[in-house]
Amino acid sequence: MAVRSALILQLTSLTLTILLLAVSGEFFKPFNVSYDHRALIIDGKRRMLISAGVHYPRATPEMWPNIIEKSKEGGADVIQSYVFWNGHEPTKGQYNFDGRYDLVKFIRLVGSRGLYLHLRIGPYVCAEWNFGGFPLWLRDVPGIEFRTDNAPFKEEMERFVKKIVDLLRFEKLFSWQGGPVIMLQVENEYGNIESSFGKRGQKYIKWAAEMALGLGAGVPWVMCQQKDAPTTIINSCNGYYCDGFQPNSPSKPIFWTENWDGWFTSWGERTPHRPVEDLAFSVARFFQRKGSFQNYYMYFGGTNFGRTAGGPFYITSYDYDSPIDEYGLLREPKWGHLKDLHTALKLCEPALVSADSPQYIKLGSKQEAHVYHMNSRTDELERLEHGSLRSCSAFLANIDERNAASVKFNGRTYNLPPWSVSILPDCQNVVFNTAKVTAQTSINLLEFYAPTPFSSNISLKLHSMRQNELSTSFSSWMTVKEPVGIWSDKSFTVKGILEHLNVTKDSSDYLWYFTRIHVSSDDISFWKESNVSPTVTIDSVRDVFRVLVNGKIAGSAIGQWVKIVQPVQFVEGYNDLLLLSETVGLQNSGAFIEKDGAGIRGRIKLTGLKNGDIDLSESLWTYQVGLKGEFLKFYSLEENEKADWTDLSVDAVPSPFTWYKAYFSSPDGTDPVAINLGSMGKGQAWVNGHHIGRYWTVVAPKDGCPKKCDYRGAYNSGKCATNCGRPTQSWYHVPRSWLKESSNLLVLFEETGGNPLEIVVKLYSTGVICGQVSESNYPPLRKLSADYTSDGEILSSGTNPEMFLHCDDGHVISSIEFASYGTPQGSCKEFSRGHCHSTNSLSVVSEACLGKNSCTVEVSNSAFGGDPCRSIVKTLAVEARCSSTSGTRLSA
């Protein structure tokens, strides 16, 4: 009892200490950060650092602690994030550091978990974020030119960068103040566009470096993709592979600020997927070849809530195929395999930081070794600190894209799969190979729940969509039409065509152009006799553009600066010609984005008239910004009842430019919530006034997705694409913190026509987990990290490979669907027994795993009561189901 009381007292004291540190802003003992040619130097010691990219506005503050904790558990030392100028200063001089933009809170949470922070201030961020992170008001500053030697731009840029640095200093968030911020970034991938600006670009980048250093942040600054970065700034690499990167000075370390572990997705396109074997290969090769700081872009991707998605045409999800998925769940095997990789790299860190450069050994035509030897000074420190000695660490690489190789190293033979790296922390024993995945595979399911109607006039209907699939449908949807065209007294009329963003200031995606055309009886007769139609021709438009005549859609165009040639039908007399310009994310990359604009470029003509063409470019046009429902806030809890809602009948015909609303109850438990809008067309959605983003049910091409993804060889975003022939995005994340227990208001604005009666709300969780581990696999790395020694005996001779299975928090393994120790065939959800099978397989796995959140099963003959087939390497394959410990659900 005394021991237990002492332990509770210690834990209470620790919790109190953490809280006091969080209040004071000091999470570490103050330390300095510098660097040499080899690595970042933290508190006097070189470090090999794994960084996890997490963008704070792409999650809610309630999600941040879980994401940060899972990043740390996955082996991250650092969290990296951009700073989003247009989120923090949407109106010049008016700052926002609340909610998802509470930067200080985010940094404090990072520090409270003992992690460092790399903050990329930019302030240009790209990031597939609207307008690259620039606030739209910036383009209206007189005389401004973005990202070049331009005084107005430099003045605004310096003001914002200084604002952020001063904020960090005031809140005591820099390392030398006891905070987690160890590094900053100014500009972003400027080298990709610098040539567009000539000498002015060179002057600008030199100014940006001097400006940043002059702010006195007291930590190193980075410029990524910047070959001509000044000597006082670290230049770093972005890309799928950076093992061949060299900084522009021998005095700088090799940093990788963006390892693209997936890719972003555009509406109407396939979903990119990067196999973890290749991703791990890229990371291992980077550290093998003298790299010292590597960041996953992204480790958690998140969601482009509201209208924050850039583009044009980037979808609302920013999942990025990252190790932590959009909803905050672990993506397996990516997360687990990388965790093992990080553990192996940490075992090598003493040798990696000790050696200034590795010994290179050619092992074959496409095979090589890099060996890091510890110097005598570091050897002594290591002996004193750890009580053991690892004289060297080695990486053995096979860069052959097709063939495995057998190589000799240090008198031993090693078998290397194609396109792989083996890691030997003691230069003898392999603890990890990038191509050998033992982490579980997780399959996430969307599970049906039956929400409780909040009032008698809302009923829930269950109907079979197809075999074994259930869906929810609300009969009490309500609707109100959005006026087509001019609806407010704030509209205005001018001569000529105005650029879209100059009018809207990006306050809305939508801009109406209205003019009136008079058609004579002679024109009508001419069209009938000639069998022709009048045509509206526009030189160039973007992103989505619609032509309406007398309130009806005549046609639409989708694309980036495409020409419109649209036949129209007029009646005799006056005709209303309406043009609707829609943005789908503002340009976020490239040079001169402030000049890119939106809406219409060039001339508008009406052709096919009896008396010749009419140039409408100089006509009187009336402009209307946005939607009536948008500006009257039909989507808000406070204002939605002021609209003239009417009941939507079950047989109503889908119609464009329509608002819909309904209520639903929050599902039980803590699992993430998703809503399926696949029955809708194109529009925007809100839950309880929170803008969950744009939706658009456009289908990806049917071809281009391989049946099997081959990890071998250089990756590109189209190599292992998925989701062919399906809508690019149907499911949308609704954060738990945005929901109430009941009476949750869902509001949609539908542009093209859809059926809200088929909208489904489901819970999202890991439903199926699979493992496949062989006798020949390496011992578990989670034990190695604690028990590793360097005398040639990594673990005791009795240590065998293990299978580790885990469900989400709040879930347990509820059933074992398949288990076979022997020679099982197939892959997850398609396992079958081979000719060799232990009859104890199911009972052993069930005893170890059923009813538990996680379990470990030893992969050995002794664990399964004997050898089921001698002289054959056995494998354990398991498929299990996870179920929530709270509530009852039906899988769909």
Side-chain angles (χ1 to χ4, degrees), residues 442-481:
S442 298
I443 298 176
N444 294 330
L445 300 179
L446 289 148
E447 297 182 301
F448 167 78
Y449 81 98
T452 304
F454 82 104
S455 67
S456 59
N457 69 341
I458 290 186
S459 63
L460 174 70
K461 297 194 297 185
L462 301 179
H463 59 277
S464 178
M465 301 292 289
R466 52 183 178 267
Q467 188 177 3
N468 296 326
E469 182 172 347
L470 293 175
S471 176
T472 61
S473 176
F474 294 96
S475 63
S476 60
W477 280 88
M478 303 190 77
T479 182
V480 62
K481 289 291 292 181

Short mmCIF file of all heavy atoms in Angstrom, two decimals, residues 442-481:
data_model
loop_
_atom_site.label_atom_id
_atom_site.label_comp_id
_atom_site.label_asym_id
_atom_site.label_seq_id
_atom_site.Cartn_x
_atom_site.Cartn_y
_atom_site.Cartn_z
N SER A 442 -4.94 -2.53 -41.30
CA SER A 442 -6.24 -2.13 -40.74
C SER A 442 -7.17 -1.73 -41.87
O SER A 442 -6.77 -1.05 -42.81
CB SER A 442 -6.08 -0.96 -39.77
OG SER A 442 -5.28 -1.31 -38.67
N ILE A 443 -8.42 -2.18 -41.77
CA ILE A 443 -9.44 -1.78 -42.73
C ILE A 443 -10.50 -1.01 -41.97
O ILE A 443 -11.15 -1.53 -41.05
CB ILE A 443 -10.05 -3.01 -43.43
CG1 ILE A 443 -8.95 -3.75 -44.21
CG2 ILE A 443 -11.18 -2.60 -44.36
CD1 ILE A 443 -9.42 -5.02 -44.87
N ASN A 444 -10.66 0.24 -42.33
CA ASN A 444 -11.61 1.10 -41.63
C ASN A 444 -13.00 0.94 -42.22
O ASN A 444 -13.18 0.86 -43.43
CB ASN A 444 -11.17 2.56 -41.70
CG ASN A 444 -9.88 2.80 -40.94
OD1 ASN A 444 -9.60 2.11 -39.97
ND2 ASN A 444 -9.09 3.75 -41.38
N LEU A 445 -13.99 0.88 -41.33
CA LEU A 445 -15.37 0.69 -41.73
C LEU A 445 -16.20 1.89 -41.31
O LEU A 445 -15.91 2.56 -40.33
CB LEU A 445 -15.95 -0.57 -41.08
CG LEU A 445 -15.26 -1.91 -41.40
CD1 LEU A 445 -15.95 -3.02 -40.64
CD2 LEU A 445 -15.28 -2.17 -42.90
N LEU A 446 -17.24 2.13 -42.08
CA LEU A 446 -18.25 3.12 -41.71
C LEU A 446 -19.46 2.34 -41.23
O LEU A 446 -20.03 1.54 -41.97
CB LEU A 446 -18.59 4.00 -42.91
CG LEU A 446 -17.45 4.95 -43.27
CD1 LEU A 446 -17.39 5.22 -44.75
CD2 LEU A 446 -17.61 6.25 -42.49
N GLU A 447 -19.81 2.54 -39.96
CA GLU A 447 -20.83 1.73 -39.34
C GLU A 447 -22.11 2.52 -39.12
O GLU A 447 -22.10 3.68 -38.71
CB GLU A 447 -20.33 1.18 -38.01
CG GLU A 447 -19.13 0.25 -38.18
CD GLU A 447 -18.68 -0.33 -36.88
OE1 GLU A 447 -18.34 0.44 -35.97
OE2 GLU A 447 -18.67 -1.55 -36.76
N PHE A 448 -23.21 1.85 -39.41
CA PHE A 448 -24.52 2.47 -39.28
C PHE A 448 -24.90 2.64 -37.82
O PHE A 448 -24.64 1.78 -36.99
CB PHE A 448 -25.54 1.58 -39.98
CG PHE A 448 -26.97 1.92 -39.67
CD1 PHE A 448 -27.57 3.00 -40.28
CD2 PHE A 448 -27.68 1.18 -38.75
CE1 PHE A 448 -28.87 3.32 -39.99
CE2 PHE A 448 -28.98 1.50 -38.46
CZ PHE A 448 -29.59 2.57 -39.07
N TYR A 449 -25.51 3.77 -37.52
CA TYR A 449 -26.10 3.93 -36.21
C TYR A 449 -27.50 4.48 -36.40
O TYR A 449 -27.81 5.11 -37.41
CB TYR A 449 -25.29 4.89 -35.33
CG TYR A 449 -25.59 6.34 -35.60
CD1 TYR A 449 -26.47 7.04 -34.80
CD2 TYR A 449 -25.03 6.99 -36.70
CE1 TYR A 449 -26.77 8.36 -35.07
CE2 TYR A 449 -25.33 8.31 -36.96
CZ TYR A 449 -26.19 8.99 -36.15
OH TYR A 449 -26.49 10.29 -36.43
N ALA A 450 -28.37 4.21 -35.45
CA ALA A 450 -29.75 4.67 -35.56
C ALA A 450 -29.95 5.90 -34.71
O ALA A 450 -30.10 5.81 -33.49
CB ALA A 450 -30.69 3.56 -35.11
N PRO A 451 -29.90 7.11 -35.28
CA PRO A 451 -30.07 8.32 -34.49
C PRO A 451 -31.50 8.47 -33.99
O PRO A 451 -32.44 8.06 -34.66
CB PRO A 451 -29.71 9.43 -35.49
CG PRO A 451 -29.98 8.84 -36.82
CD PRO A 451 -29.71 7.38 -36.71
N THR A 452 -31.62 9.04 -32.81
CA THR A 452 -32.94 9.24 -32.22
C THR A 452 -33.53 10.55 -32.72
O THR A 452 -32.93 11.62 -32.56
CB THR A 452 -32.82 9.31 -30.68
OG1 THR A 452 -32.19 8.10 -30.24
CG2 THR A 452 -34.19 9.44 -30.04
N PRO A 453 -34.73 10.54 -33.34
CA PRO A 453 -35.34 11.78 -33.81
C PRO A 453 -35.55 12.73 -32.63
O PRO A 453 -35.91 12.32 -31.53
CB PRO A 453 -36.67 11.31 -34.39
CG PRO A 453 -36.46 9.86 -34.72
CD PRO A 453 -35.53 9.36 -33.66
N PHE A 454 -35.34 14.01 -32.90
CA PHE A 454 -35.45 14.95 -31.78
C PHE A 454 -36.88 15.43 -31.59
O PHE A 454 -37.21 16.05 -30.61
CB PHE A 454 -34.52 16.15 -32.01
CG PHE A 454 -35.08 17.22 -32.92
CD1 PHE A 454 -35.56 18.40 -32.40
CD2 PHE A 454 -35.13 17.01 -34.29
CE1 PHE A 454 -36.06 19.38 -33.23
CE2 PHE A 454 -35.63 18.00 -35.11
CZ PHE A 454 -36.10 19.18 -34.59
N SER A 455 -37.77 15.17 -32.53
CA SER A 455 -39.16 15.55 -32.35
C SER A 455 -40.03 14.59 -33.16
O SER A 455 -39.57 13.85 -34.02
CB SER A 455 -39.39 17.00 -32.80
OG SER A 455 -39.20 17.11 -34.20
N SER A 456 -41.31 14.63 -32.90
CA SER A 456 -42.22 13.67 -33.51
C SER A 456 -42.36 13.86 -35.02
O SER A 456 -42.77 12.95 -35.72
CB SER A 456 -43.61 13.79 -32.87
OG SER A 456 -44.10 15.12 -33.04
N ASN A 457 -42.03 15.03 -35.52
CA ASN A 457 -42.21 15.25 -36.95
C ASN A 457 -40.98 14.85 -37.77
O ASN A 457 -40.92 15.10 -38.95
CB ASN A 457 -42.56 16.72 -37.23
CG ASN A 457 -41.39 17.64 -36.97
OD1 ASN A 457 -40.47 17.27 -36.26
ND2 ASN A 457 -41.46 18.84 -37.50
N ILE A 458 -39.99 14.23 -37.12
CA ILE A 458 -38.83 13.70 -37.84
C ILE A 458 -38.80 12.19 -37.61
O ILE A 458 -38.68 11.74 -36.48
CB ILE A 458 -37.52 14.34 -37.38
CG1 ILE A 458 -37.49 15.79 -37.84
CG2 ILE A 458 -36.31 13.58 -37.92
CD1 ILE A 458 -36.18 16.48 -37.57
N SER A 459 -38.94 11.45 -38.64
CA SER A 459 -38.91 10.00 -38.52
C SER A 459 -37.71 9.44 -39.24
O SER A 459 -37.20 10.03 -40.18
CB SER A 459 -40.20 9.40 -39.09
OG SER A 459 -40.30 9.67 -40.47
N LEU A 460 -37.28 8.28 -38.80
CA LEU A 460 -36.13 7.61 -39.39
C LEU A 460 -36.62 6.41 -40.16
O LEU A 460 -37.42 5.64 -39.66
CB LEU A 460 -35.16 7.17 -38.30
CG LEU A 460 -33.98 6.33 -38.74
CD1 LEU A 460 -33.02 7.18 -39.54
CD2 LEU A 460 -33.27 5.74 -37.54
N LYS A 461 -36.18 6.26 -41.38
CA LYS A 461 -36.57 5.11 -42.18
C LYS A 461 -35.35 4.27 -42.48
O LYS A 461 -34.29 4.79 -42.83
CB LYS A 461 -37.22 5.55 -43.50
CG LYS A 461 -38.51 6.33 -43.31
CD LYS A 461 -39.28 6.45 -44.60
CE LYS A 461 -38.51 7.22 -45.64
NZ LYS A 461 -39.30 7.44 -46.85
N LEU A 462 -35.48 2.97 -42.36
CA LEU A 462 -34.43 2.04 -42.73
C LEU A 462 -34.87 1.35 -44.00
O LEU A 462 -36.00 0.90 -44.12
CB LEU A 462 -34.20 1.00 -41.64
CG LEU A 462 -33.81 1.52 -40.25
CD1 LEU A 462 -33.67 0.34 -39.31
CD2 LEU A 462 -32.53 2.30 -40.33
N HIS A 463 -33.98 1.29 -44.96
CA HIS A 463 -34.31 0.54 -46.15
C HIS A 463 -33.05 -0.11 -46.70
O HIS A 463 -31.95 0.37 -46.47
CB HIS A 463 -34.95 1.44 -47.21
CG HIS A 463 -34.10 2.57 -47.65
ND1 HIS A 463 -34.02 3.76 -46.95
CD2 HIS A 463 -33.26 2.69 -48.72
CE1 HIS A 463 -33.21 4.57 -47.58
NE2 HIS A 463 -32.71 3.96 -48.64
N SER A 464 -33.24 -1.19 -47.39
CA SER A 464 -32.10 -1.94 -47.91
C SER A 464 -31.61 -1.31 -49.18
O SER A 464 -32.32 -1.25 -50.18
CB SER A 464 -32.49 -3.39 -48.16
OG SER A 464 -31.41 -4.11 -48.70
N MET A 465 -30.36 -0.81 -49.16
CA MET A 465 -29.75 -0.26 -50.37
C MET A 465 -29.31 -1.40 -51.27
O MET A 465 -29.47 -1.38 -52.46
CB MET A 465 -28.56 0.61 -50.01
CG MET A 465 -28.92 1.78 -49.11
SD MET A 465 -29.95 2.97 -49.94
CE MET A 465 -28.77 3.69 -51.07
N ARG A 466 -28.69 -2.38 -50.69
CA ARG A 466 -28.35 -3.64 -51.35
C ARG A 466 -28.07 -4.64 -50.24
O ARG A 466 -28.13 -4.30 -49.07
CB ARG A 466 -27.16 -3.50 -52.30
CG ARG A 466 -25.91 -2.87 -51.70
CD ARG A 466 -24.87 -2.74 -52.81
NE ARG A 466 -23.66 -2.11 -52.32
CZ ARG A 466 -23.42 -0.81 -52.39
NH1 ARG A 466 -24.31 -0.02 -52.93
NH2 ARG A 466 -22.29 -0.30 -51.93
N GLN A 467 -27.77 -5.85 -50.56
CA GLN A 467 -27.65 -6.88 -49.54
C GLN A 467 -26.65 -6.48 -48.46
O GLN A 467 -25.56 -6.01 -48.73
CB GLN A 467 -27.19 -8.19 -50.19
CG GLN A 467 -27.21 -9.36 -49.21
CD GLN A 467 -26.84 -10.66 -49.88
OE1 GLN A 467 -26.51 -10.67 -51.05
NE2 GLN A 467 -26.88 -11.74 -49.14
N ASN A 468 -27.07 -6.63 -47.21
CA ASN A 468 -26.23 -6.38 -46.03
C ASN A 468 -25.83 -4.91 -45.89
O ASN A 468 -24.86 -4.60 -45.24
CB ASN A 468 -24.96 -7.24 -46.07
CG ASN A 468 -25.28 -8.72 -45.97
OD1 ASN A 468 -26.24 -9.09 -45.30
ND2 ASN A 468 -24.51 -9.55 -46.65
N GLU A 469 -26.57 -4.00 -46.48
CA GLU A 469 -26.24 -2.59 -46.30
C GLU A 469 -27.47 -1.84 -45.81
O GLU A 469 -28.55 -1.98 -46.38
CB GLU A 469 -25.76 -1.96 -47.61
CG GLU A 469 -25.37 -0.50 -47.43
CD GLU A 469 -24.71 0.09 -48.65
OE1 GLU A 469 -24.33 -0.68 -49.55
OE2 GLU A 469 -24.60 1.31 -48.71
N LEU A 470 -27.30 -1.10 -44.75
CA LEU A 470 -28.39 -0.30 -44.21
C LEU A 470 -28.05 1.17 -44.33
O LEU A 470 -26.90 1.57 -44.30
CB LEU A 470 -28.63 -0.65 -42.74
CG LEU A 470 -29.16 -2.06 -42.47
CD1 LEU A 470 -29.22 -2.31 -40.97
CD2 LEU A 470 -30.53 -2.24 -43.09
N SER A 471 -29.06 2.00 -44.47
CA SER A 471 -28.85 3.42 -44.62
C SER A 471 -29.93 4.17 -43.86
O SER A 471 -31.00 3.63 -43.56
CB SER A 471 -28.89 3.80 -46.10
OG SER A 471 -28.77 5.19 -46.25
N THR A 472 -29.66 5.42 -43.52
CA THR A 472 -30.64 6.26 -42.86
C THR A 472 -31.19 7.27 -43.84
O THR A 472 -30.50 7.72 -44.74
CB THR A 472 -30.02 7.02 -41.68
OG1 THR A 472 -28.99 7.85 -42.18
CG2 THR A 472 -29.46 6.05 -40.66
N SER A 473 -32.45 7.63 -43.66
CA SER A 473 -33.07 8.63 -44.52
C SER A 473 -34.06 9.41 -43.68
O SER A 473 -34.84 8.83 -42.92
CB SER A 473 -33.77 7.97 -45.71
OG SER A 473 -34.44 8.93 -46.47
N PHE A 474 -34.06 10.71 -43.80
CA PHE A 474 -34.97 11.54 -43.04
C PHE A 474 -36.11 12.01 -43.95
O PHE A 474 -35.86 12.57 -45.01
CB PHE A 474 -34.25 12.75 -42.46
CG PHE A 474 -33.21 12.41 -41.44
CD1 PHE A 474 -31.88 12.27 -41.78
CD2 PHE A 474 -33.58 12.21 -40.12
CE1 PHE A 474 -30.93 11.95 -40.84
CE2 PHE A 474 -32.63 11.89 -39.16
CZ PHE A 474 -31.31 11.76 -39.52
N SER A 475 -37.33 11.78 -43.51
CA SER A 475 -38.48 12.17 -44.34
C SER A 475 -38.83 13.64 -44.16
O SER A 475 -39.62 14.18 -44.93
CB SER A 475 -39.70 11.32 -43.98
OG SER A 475 -40.07 11.54 -42.64
N SER A 476 -38.28 14.26 -43.14
CA SER A 476 -38.71 15.62 -42.81
C SER A 476 -37.72 16.69 -43.25
O SER A 476 -37.58 17.71 -42.61
CB SER A 476 -38.93 15.74 -41.32
OG SER A 476 -37.74 15.45 -40.64
N TRP A 477 -37.01 16.42 -44.30
CA TRP A 477 -36.15 17.46 -44.85
C TRP A 477 -36.99 18.68 -45.23
O TRP A 477 -38.13 18.55 -45.67
CB TRP A 477 -35.41 16.95 -46.08
CG TRP A 477 -34.22 16.10 -45.77
CD1 TRP A 477 -34.20 14.76 -45.56
CD2 TRP A 477 -32.88 16.56 -45.62
NE1 TRP A 477 -32.92 14.34 -45.29
CE2 TRP A 477 -32.09 15.43 -45.32
CE3 TRP A 477 -32.26 17.80 -45.70
CZ2 TRP A 477 -30.72 15.49 -45.11
CZ3 TRP A 477 -30.90 17.88 -45.50
CH2 TRP A 477 -30.14 16.74 -45.20
N MET A 478 -36.36 19.84 -45.08
CA MET A 478 -37.02 21.09 -45.48
C MET A 478 -36.17 21.78 -46.53
O MET A 478 -34.97 21.53 -46.64
CB MET A 478 -37.26 21.98 -44.27
CG MET A 478 -38.07 21.32 -43.18
SD MET A 478 -38.59 22.46 -41.88
CE MET A 478 -39.95 23.31 -42.69
N THR A 479 -36.80 22.64 -47.29
CA THR A 479 -36.11 23.23 -48.43
C THR A 479 -36.55 24.68 -48.66
O THR A 479 -37.64 25.08 -48.26
CB THR A 479 -36.40 22.40 -49.71
OG1 THR A 479 -35.70 22.96 -50.80
CG2 THR A 479 -37.88 22.37 -50.03
N VAL A 480 -35.67 25.44 -49.27
CA VAL A 480 -36.00 26.80 -49.71
C VAL A 480 -35.15 27.10 -50.94
O VAL A 480 -33.98 26.69 -51.02
CB VAL A 480 -35.74 27.84 -48.59
CG1 VAL A 480 -34.28 27.89 -48.19
CG2 VAL A 480 -36.22 29.22 -49.02
N LYS A 481 -35.75 27.76 -51.91
CA LYS A 481 -35.03 28.04 -53.16
C LYS A 481 -34.12 29.26 -53.00
O LYS A 481 -34.48 30.24 -52.33
CB LYS A 481 -36.02 28.31 -54.29
CG LYS A 481 -36.79 27.09 -54.76
CD LYS A 481 -35.89 26.10 -55.47
CE LYS A 481 -35.37 26.64 -56.80
NZ LYS A 481 -34.52 25.66 -57.50
#
